[in-house]
Amino acid sequence: MALLNILQFPDPRLRIKAKPVTQVGDRVREIIRDMLETMYAAPGVGLAATQVNIHERIIVIDVSENHDQPMVFINPLIDTLDANLYSYDEGCLSVPGFYESVERPEHVIVRALDENGQSFELQPQGLLAVCIQHEIDHLNGKLFVDHISALKRNRIRAKLEKQQKSRL
Ligand code: GNR
Ligand code: NI
């Protein structure tokens, strides 16, 4: 097991589009174990492989109260079911300390592979639906700050760059 380093905005590596996993084997299961350990330690409710500089389509999520219901999504595909939007105050381990309201489709359907390579389908609700969309954005090189105004995004970037420089 290993704790992985989480990249911070505006690191350009967060913009790399992740490639599909071609074989769900022991190498991928080790990545998943390390991602879950890193997510729980952070702590966060989700983590995309992109955030730990692994550019493969792998997501872990646990939105349960007791942090005992890990979910794994490999090569996730998402469809929007209707035009309803849902607004949620989002944060991100790659944008530490900042929270902004983001609107996303409320009703989506997700298909993915689990850690054994078995396909499954899910119609998530509430925070899980938000989180899955937030994580799939990461795999596509997108961050929640891309959903807010450029003014807010630039302010957040400037503050994080200043913090990052002072920690060198
Ligand atoms: O821990 C997290 N909390 C969170 C809160 C609201 C909306 C999305 C999230 S995901 C975030 C962890 C993270 O950065 N995942 O990419
Ligand atoms: Ni995030």
Side-chain angles (χ1 to χ4, degrees), residues 39-86:
M39 177 187 76
Y40 287 123
V45 296
L47 189 70
T50 306
Q51 293 176 276
V52 292
N53 202 29
I54 295 172
H55 302 286
E56 304 185 46
R57 302 188 80 79
I58 304 169
I59 290 167
V60 296
I61 293 177
D62 189 339
V63 294
S64 70
E65 261 185 49
N66 297 323
H67 312 290
D68 58 357
Q69 288 171 55
M71 307 178 78
V72 173
F73 301 82
I74 298 168
N75 297 344
L77 297 174
I78 190 162
D79 278 303
T80 299
L81 292 174
D82 62 59
N84 265 11
L85 295 178
Y86 181 73

Short mmCIF file of all heavy atoms in Angstrom, two decimals, residues 39-86:
data_model
loop_
_atom_site.label_atom_id
_atom_site.label_comp_id
_atom_site.label_asym_id
_atom_site.label_seq_id
_atom_site.Cartn_x
_atom_site.Cartn_y
_atom_site.Cartn_z
N MET A 39 -7.45 8.46 -0.89
CA MET A 39 -8.73 9.16 -0.75
C MET A 39 -9.15 9.20 0.73
O MET A 39 -9.53 10.27 1.24
CB MET A 39 -9.81 8.46 -1.57
CG MET A 39 -11.19 9.08 -1.42
SD MET A 39 -12.46 8.12 -2.25
CE MET A 39 -12.65 6.75 -1.11
N TYR A 40 -9.08 8.06 1.42
CA TYR A 40 -9.52 8.03 2.83
C TYR A 40 -8.60 8.89 3.70
O TYR A 40 -9.04 9.51 4.66
CB TYR A 40 -9.55 6.58 3.36
CG TYR A 40 -10.70 5.75 2.82
CD1 TYR A 40 -10.48 4.55 2.15
CD2 TYR A 40 -12.02 6.16 3.00
CE1 TYR A 40 -11.52 3.78 1.67
CE2 TYR A 40 -13.08 5.40 2.52
CZ TYR A 40 -12.82 4.21 1.86
OH TYR A 40 -13.87 3.46 1.39
N ALA A 41 -7.31 8.91 3.37
CA ALA A 41 -6.35 9.66 4.19
C ALA A 41 -6.53 11.17 4.02
O ALA A 41 -6.23 11.94 4.92
CB ALA A 41 -4.92 9.26 3.84
N ALA A 42 -7.01 11.58 2.84
CA ALA A 42 -6.98 13.02 2.47
C ALA A 42 -7.67 13.94 3.49
O ALA A 42 -7.05 14.91 3.92
CB ALA A 42 -7.51 13.21 1.06
N PRO A 43 -8.94 13.74 3.90
CA PRO A 43 -9.90 12.76 3.43
C PRO A 43 -10.75 13.38 2.33
O PRO A 43 -10.99 14.56 2.29
CB PRO A 43 -10.76 12.50 4.68
CG PRO A 43 -10.79 13.83 5.38
CD PRO A 43 -9.50 14.55 5.01
N GLY A 44 -11.25 12.49 1.43
CA GLY A 44 -12.14 12.94 0.36
C GLY A 44 -13.19 11.88 0.09
O GLY A 44 -13.06 10.74 0.56
N VAL A 45 -14.22 12.25 -0.66
CA VAL A 45 -15.28 11.30 -1.00
C VAL A 45 -15.06 10.67 -2.37
O VAL A 45 -15.80 9.76 -2.76
CB VAL A 45 -16.69 11.93 -0.92
CG1 VAL A 45 -17.00 12.35 0.51
CG2 VAL A 45 -16.83 13.10 -1.87
N GLY A 46 -14.06 11.15 -3.10
CA GLY A 46 -13.77 10.57 -4.42
C GLY A 46 -12.35 10.91 -4.83
O GLY A 46 -11.73 11.83 -4.27
N LEU A 47 -11.83 10.15 -5.78
CA LEU A 47 -10.50 10.44 -6.33
C LEU A 47 -10.44 9.84 -7.73
O LEU A 47 -10.84 8.70 -7.95
CB LEU A 47 -9.41 9.82 -5.44
CG LEU A 47 -7.97 10.22 -5.76
CD1 LEU A 47 -7.70 11.68 -5.39
CD2 LEU A 47 -6.99 9.30 -5.03
N ALA A 48 -9.94 10.65 -8.66
CA ALA A 48 -9.72 10.17 -10.03
C ALA A 48 -8.22 9.96 -10.23
O ALA A 48 -7.40 10.69 -9.66
CB ALA A 48 -10.24 11.22 -11.03
N ALA A 49 -7.86 8.95 -11.03
CA ALA A 49 -6.45 8.60 -11.22
C ALA A 49 -5.63 9.80 -11.70
O ALA A 49 -4.48 9.97 -11.30
CB ALA A 49 -6.33 7.43 -12.20
N THR A 50 -6.24 10.64 -12.54
CA THR A 50 -5.57 11.86 -13.03
C THR A 50 -4.98 12.68 -11.89
O THR A 50 -3.89 13.24 -12.02
CB THR A 50 -6.61 12.72 -13.78
OG1 THR A 50 -7.22 11.92 -14.78
CG2 THR A 50 -5.97 13.97 -14.40
N GLN A 51 -5.68 12.75 -10.76
CA GLN A 51 -5.23 13.58 -9.63
C GLN A 51 -3.95 13.06 -9.00
O GLN A 51 -3.25 13.81 -8.32
CB GLN A 51 -6.32 13.65 -8.55
CG GLN A 51 -7.56 14.40 -8.99
CD GLN A 51 -8.62 14.35 -7.92
OE1 GLN A 51 -9.37 13.39 -7.82
NE2 GLN A 51 -8.68 15.38 -7.09
N VAL A 52 -3.66 11.76 -9.19
CA VAL A 52 -2.42 11.19 -8.65
C VAL A 52 -1.45 10.88 -9.80
O VAL A 52 -0.58 10.01 -9.68
CB VAL A 52 -2.69 9.96 -7.76
CG1 VAL A 52 -3.40 10.40 -6.47
CG2 VAL A 52 -3.53 8.91 -8.47
N ASN A 53 -1.62 11.63 -10.90
CA ASN A 53 -0.70 11.57 -12.04
C ASN A 53 -0.66 10.20 -12.71
O ASN A 53 0.37 9.79 -13.24
CB ASN A 53 0.71 12.00 -11.59
CG ASN A 53 1.57 12.48 -12.75
OD1 ASN A 53 1.04 12.99 -13.75
ND2 ASN A 53 2.87 12.30 -12.64
N ILE A 54 -1.80 9.51 -12.68
CA ILE A 54 -1.95 8.24 -13.41
C ILE A 54 -3.04 8.50 -14.45
O ILE A 54 -4.19 8.76 -14.10
CB ILE A 54 -2.33 7.08 -12.47
CG1 ILE A 54 -1.19 6.82 -11.48
CG2 ILE A 54 -2.66 5.82 -13.27
CD1 ILE A 54 -1.55 5.81 -10.39
N HIS A 55 -2.68 8.44 -15.73
CA HIS A 55 -3.59 8.93 -16.76
C HIS A 55 -4.35 7.79 -17.43
O HIS A 55 -4.29 7.57 -18.62
CB HIS A 55 -2.83 9.86 -17.70
CG HIS A 55 -2.23 10.99 -16.92
ND1 HIS A 55 -2.99 12.04 -16.42
CD2 HIS A 55 -0.97 11.17 -16.44
CE1 HIS A 55 -2.22 12.83 -15.70
NE2 HIS A 55 -0.99 12.33 -15.69
N GLU A 56 -5.07 7.04 -16.56
CA GLU A 56 -5.92 5.91 -16.96
C GLU A 56 -7.29 6.14 -16.35
O GLU A 56 -7.42 6.77 -15.30
CB GLU A 56 -5.31 4.60 -16.46
CG GLU A 56 -3.87 4.43 -16.95
CD GLU A 56 -3.27 3.09 -16.56
OE1 GLU A 56 -3.97 2.07 -16.74
OE2 GLU A 56 -2.14 3.07 -16.07
N ARG A 57 -8.33 5.55 -17.01
CA ARG A 57 -9.70 5.90 -16.63
C ARG A 57 -10.17 5.06 -15.44
O ARG A 57 -10.88 4.07 -15.57
CB ARG A 57 -10.64 5.81 -17.86
CG ARG A 57 -10.13 6.74 -18.98
CD ARG A 57 -11.06 6.88 -20.15
NE ARG A 57 -12.16 7.79 -19.92
CZ ARG A 57 -12.07 9.13 -20.00
NH1 ARG A 57 -10.95 9.72 -20.29
NH2 ARG A 57 -13.14 9.87 -19.78
N ILE A 58 -9.74 5.50 -14.25
CA ILE A 58 -10.02 4.81 -12.98
C ILE A 58 -10.48 5.85 -11.96
O ILE A 58 -9.85 6.89 -11.80
CB ILE A 58 -8.74 4.12 -12.44
CG1 ILE A 58 -8.16 3.15 -13.46
CG2 ILE A 58 -9.06 3.41 -11.12
CD1 ILE A 58 -6.76 2.64 -13.09
N ILE A 59 -11.60 5.54 -11.27
CA ILE A 59 -12.18 6.41 -10.24
C ILE A 59 -12.49 5.58 -9.01
O ILE A 59 -12.96 4.45 -9.14
CB ILE A 59 -13.49 7.03 -10.77
CG1 ILE A 59 -13.22 8.06 -11.87
CG2 ILE A 59 -14.31 7.65 -9.65
CD1 ILE A 59 -14.48 8.46 -12.64
N VAL A 60 -12.25 6.14 -7.83
CA VAL A 60 -12.76 5.55 -6.59
C VAL A 60 -13.63 6.59 -5.90
O VAL A 60 -13.36 7.79 -5.97
CB VAL A 60 -11.63 5.06 -5.65
CG1 VAL A 60 -10.84 3.93 -6.29
CG2 VAL A 60 -10.70 6.21 -5.24
N ILE A 61 -14.69 6.11 -5.25
CA ILE A 61 -15.65 6.98 -4.54
C ILE A 61 -16.12 6.25 -3.29
O ILE A 61 -16.31 5.03 -3.31
CB ILE A 61 -16.87 7.30 -5.44
CG1 ILE A 61 -16.46 8.17 -6.64
CG2 ILE A 61 -17.99 7.99 -4.65
CD1 ILE A 61 -17.59 8.48 -7.62
N ASP A 62 -16.30 7.01 -2.19
CA ASP A 62 -17.03 6.47 -1.04
C ASP A 62 -17.80 7.62 -0.40
O ASP A 62 -17.21 8.47 0.26
CB ASP A 62 -16.07 5.83 -0.03
CG ASP A 62 -16.82 5.07 1.06
OD1 ASP A 62 -18.03 5.38 1.27
OD2 ASP A 62 -16.23 4.20 1.71
N VAL A 63 -19.10 7.65 -0.63
CA VAL A 63 -19.94 8.72 -0.07
C VAL A 63 -20.69 8.24 1.18
O VAL A 63 -21.54 8.95 1.69
CB VAL A 63 -20.95 9.28 -1.11
CG1 VAL A 63 -20.22 9.99 -2.25
CG2 VAL A 63 -21.85 8.18 -1.66
N SER A 64 -20.34 7.05 1.69
CA SER A 64 -21.05 6.51 2.85
C SER A 64 -20.61 7.24 4.13
O SER A 64 -19.48 7.73 4.22
CB SER A 64 -20.79 5.01 2.99
OG SER A 64 -19.44 4.77 3.38
N GLU A 65 -21.54 7.28 5.12
CA GLU A 65 -21.25 7.99 6.37
C GLU A 65 -20.06 7.40 7.11
O GLU A 65 -19.25 8.11 7.68
CB GLU A 65 -22.48 7.93 7.30
CG GLU A 65 -23.31 9.19 7.25
CD GLU A 65 -24.44 9.16 8.27
OE1 GLU A 65 -24.16 8.85 9.45
OE2 GLU A 65 -25.59 9.44 7.87
N ASN A 66 -19.97 6.08 7.10
CA ASN A 66 -18.92 5.41 7.88
C ASN A 66 -17.66 5.11 7.06
O ASN A 66 -16.77 4.40 7.53
CB ASN A 66 -19.47 4.12 8.50
CG ASN A 66 -20.59 4.42 9.49
OD1 ASN A 66 -20.53 5.42 10.21
ND2 ASN A 66 -21.61 3.58 9.50
N HIS A 67 -17.62 5.62 5.84
CA HIS A 67 -16.43 5.43 4.98
C HIS A 67 -16.07 3.96 4.84
O HIS A 67 -14.91 3.58 4.91
CB HIS A 67 -15.24 6.24 5.54
CG HIS A 67 -15.60 7.65 5.88
ND1 HIS A 67 -15.90 8.60 4.90
CD2 HIS A 67 -15.76 8.28 7.06
CE1 HIS A 67 -16.21 9.74 5.50
NE2 HIS A 67 -16.14 9.58 6.81
N ASP A 68 -17.12 3.15 4.65
CA ASP A 68 -16.89 1.70 4.56
C ASP A 68 -17.57 1.10 3.32
O ASP A 68 -17.81 -0.10 3.26
CB ASP A 68 -17.40 1.00 5.83
CG ASP A 68 -18.89 1.27 6.08
OD1 ASP A 68 -19.51 2.05 5.31
OD2 ASP A 68 -19.43 0.71 7.06
N GLN A 69 -17.90 1.97 2.34
CA GLN A 69 -18.53 1.46 1.12
C GLN A 69 -17.83 1.99 -0.13
O GLN A 69 -18.37 2.81 -0.88
CB GLN A 69 -20.02 1.86 1.10
CG GLN A 69 -20.84 1.06 2.12
CD GLN A 69 -22.25 1.59 2.27
OE1 GLN A 69 -22.99 1.72 1.29
NE2 GLN A 69 -22.63 1.95 3.47
N PRO A 70 -16.58 1.51 -0.33
CA PRO A 70 -15.82 1.96 -1.50
C PRO A 70 -16.47 1.51 -2.80
O PRO A 70 -17.00 0.40 -2.89
CB PRO A 70 -14.45 1.30 -1.32
CG PRO A 70 -14.71 0.11 -0.43
CD PRO A 70 -15.83 0.51 0.47
N MET A 71 -16.45 2.40 -3.79
CA MET A 71 -16.95 2.08 -5.12
C MET A 71 -15.82 2.33 -6.11
O MET A 71 -15.06 3.29 -5.95
CB MET A 71 -18.15 2.96 -5.48
CG MET A 71 -19.26 2.92 -4.45
SD MET A 71 -20.61 4.02 -4.90
CE MET A 71 -21.40 3.00 -6.11
N VAL A 72 -15.75 1.48 -7.13
CA VAL A 72 -14.70 1.58 -8.15
C VAL A 72 -15.37 1.68 -9.51
O VAL A 72 -16.31 0.92 -9.79
CB VAL A 72 -13.79 0.33 -8.09
CG1 VAL A 72 -12.80 0.34 -9.23
CG2 VAL A 72 -13.08 0.25 -6.74
N PHE A 73 -14.91 2.61 -10.32
CA PHE A 73 -15.43 2.79 -11.68
C PHE A 73 -14.24 2.81 -12.64
O PHE A 73 -13.41 3.72 -12.59
CB PHE A 73 -16.19 4.11 -11.81
CG PHE A 73 -17.37 4.27 -10.88
CD1 PHE A 73 -17.19 4.67 -9.57
CD2 PHE A 73 -18.65 4.02 -11.33
CE1 PHE A 73 -18.27 4.82 -8.71
CE2 PHE A 73 -19.75 4.17 -10.49
CZ PHE A 73 -19.56 4.56 -9.17
N ILE A 74 -14.18 1.81 -13.52
CA ILE A 74 -13.14 1.75 -14.54
C ILE A 74 -13.81 1.99 -15.89
O ILE A 74 -14.88 1.41 -16.16
CB ILE A 74 -12.43 0.39 -14.51
CG1 ILE A 74 -11.74 0.19 -13.15
CG2 ILE A 74 -11.42 0.26 -15.65
CD1 ILE A 74 -11.26 -1.24 -12.91
N ASN A 75 -13.20 2.83 -16.72
CA ASN A 75 -13.74 3.19 -18.04
C ASN A 75 -15.21 3.61 -17.95
O ASN A 75 -16.06 3.11 -18.72
CB ASN A 75 -13.61 2.02 -19.03
CG ASN A 75 -12.16 1.64 -19.29
OD1 ASN A 75 -11.25 2.40 -18.99
ND2 ASN A 75 -11.96 0.46 -19.85
N PRO A 76 -15.56 4.53 -17.06
CA PRO A 76 -16.97 4.90 -16.89
C PRO A 76 -17.52 5.62 -18.12
O PRO A 76 -16.83 6.41 -18.76
CB PRO A 76 -16.93 5.85 -15.69
CG PRO A 76 -15.56 6.45 -15.74
CD PRO A 76 -14.67 5.33 -16.20
N LEU A 77 -18.79 5.31 -18.42
CA LEU A 77 -19.55 6.01 -19.47
C LEU A 77 -20.77 6.59 -18.79
O LEU A 77 -21.39 5.94 -17.95
CB LEU A 77 -19.98 5.04 -20.58
CG LEU A 77 -18.85 4.37 -21.36
CD1 LEU A 77 -19.42 3.34 -22.31
CD2 LEU A 77 -18.02 5.41 -22.10
N ILE A 78 -21.12 7.82 -19.17
CA ILE A 78 -22.23 8.49 -18.50
C ILE A 78 -23.19 9.05 -19.53
O ILE A 78 -22.78 9.50 -20.59
CB ILE A 78 -21.68 9.59 -17.55
CG1 ILE A 78 -22.78 10.14 -16.65
CG2 ILE A 78 -21.00 10.70 -18.33
CD1 ILE A 78 -22.24 10.88 -15.44
N ASP A 79 -24.47 8.96 -19.22
CA ASP A 79 -25.50 9.58 -20.05
C ASP A 79 -26.40 10.42 -19.15
O ASP A 79 -26.74 10.01 -18.04
CB ASP A 79 -26.36 8.53 -20.76
CG ASP A 79 -25.70 8.00 -22.01
OD1 ASP A 79 -25.40 8.84 -22.89
OD2 ASP A 79 -25.47 6.79 -22.09
N THR A 80 -26.80 11.57 -19.66
CA THR A 80 -27.76 12.42 -18.96
C THR A 80 -29.16 11.94 -19.29
O THR A 80 -29.48 11.69 -20.45
CB THR A 80 -27.56 13.88 -19.41
OG1 THR A 80 -26.23 14.27 -19.07
CG2 THR A 80 -28.53 14.82 -18.71
N LEU A 81 -29.99 11.78 -18.24
CA LEU A 81 -31.33 11.22 -18.46
C LEU A 81 -32.38 12.28 -18.73
O LEU A 81 -33.34 12.04 -19.45
CB LEU A 81 -31.74 10.37 -17.25
CG LEU A 81 -30.91 9.08 -17.09
CD1 LEU A 81 -31.28 8.38 -15.79
CD2 LEU A 81 -31.10 8.15 -18.27
N ASP A 82 -32.25 13.47 -18.11
CA ASP A 82 -33.18 14.56 -18.39
C ASP A 82 -32.49 15.88 -18.13
O ASP A 82 -31.34 15.92 -17.70
CB ASP A 82 -34.47 14.41 -17.57
CG ASP A 82 -34.21 14.47 -16.08
OD1 ASP A 82 -33.69 15.50 -15.62
OD2 ASP A 82 -34.52 13.49 -15.38
N ALA A 83 -33.18 16.98 -18.41
CA ALA A 83 -32.55 18.30 -18.41
C ALA A 83 -32.48 18.93 -17.01
O ALA A 83 -31.89 20.00 -16.85
CB ALA A 83 -33.30 19.24 -19.35
N ASN A 84 -33.04 18.27 -15.98
CA ASN A 84 -32.99 18.82 -14.62
C ASN A 84 -31.56 19.06 -14.15
O ASN A 84 -30.72 18.17 -14.27
CB ASN A 84 -33.63 17.83 -13.64
CG ASN A 84 -35.07 18.12 -13.38
OD1 ASN A 84 -35.68 18.95 -14.07
ND2 ASN A 84 -35.63 17.44 -12.39
N LEU A 85 -31.34 20.24 -13.57
CA LEU A 85 -30.02 20.51 -13.00
C LEU A 85 -30.09 20.50 -11.48
O LEU A 85 -31.14 20.76 -10.89
CB LEU A 85 -29.50 21.87 -13.50
CG LEU A 85 -29.25 21.97 -15.00
CD1 LEU A 85 -28.80 23.38 -15.36
CD2 LEU A 85 -28.23 20.93 -15.46
N TYR A 86 -28.95 20.18 -10.86
CA TYR A 86 -28.84 20.08 -9.42
C TYR A 86 -27.61 20.88 -9.04
O TYR A 86 -26.54 20.75 -9.67
CB TYR A 86 -28.68 18.60 -9.06
CG TYR A 86 -28.56 18.25 -7.60
CD1 TYR A 86 -29.67 18.31 -6.76
CD2 TYR A 86 -27.35 17.80 -7.07
CE1 TYR A 86 -29.57 17.95 -5.42
CE2 TYR A 86 -27.23 17.43 -5.73
CZ TYR A 86 -28.35 17.51 -4.91
OH TYR A 86 -28.25 17.15 -3.59
#
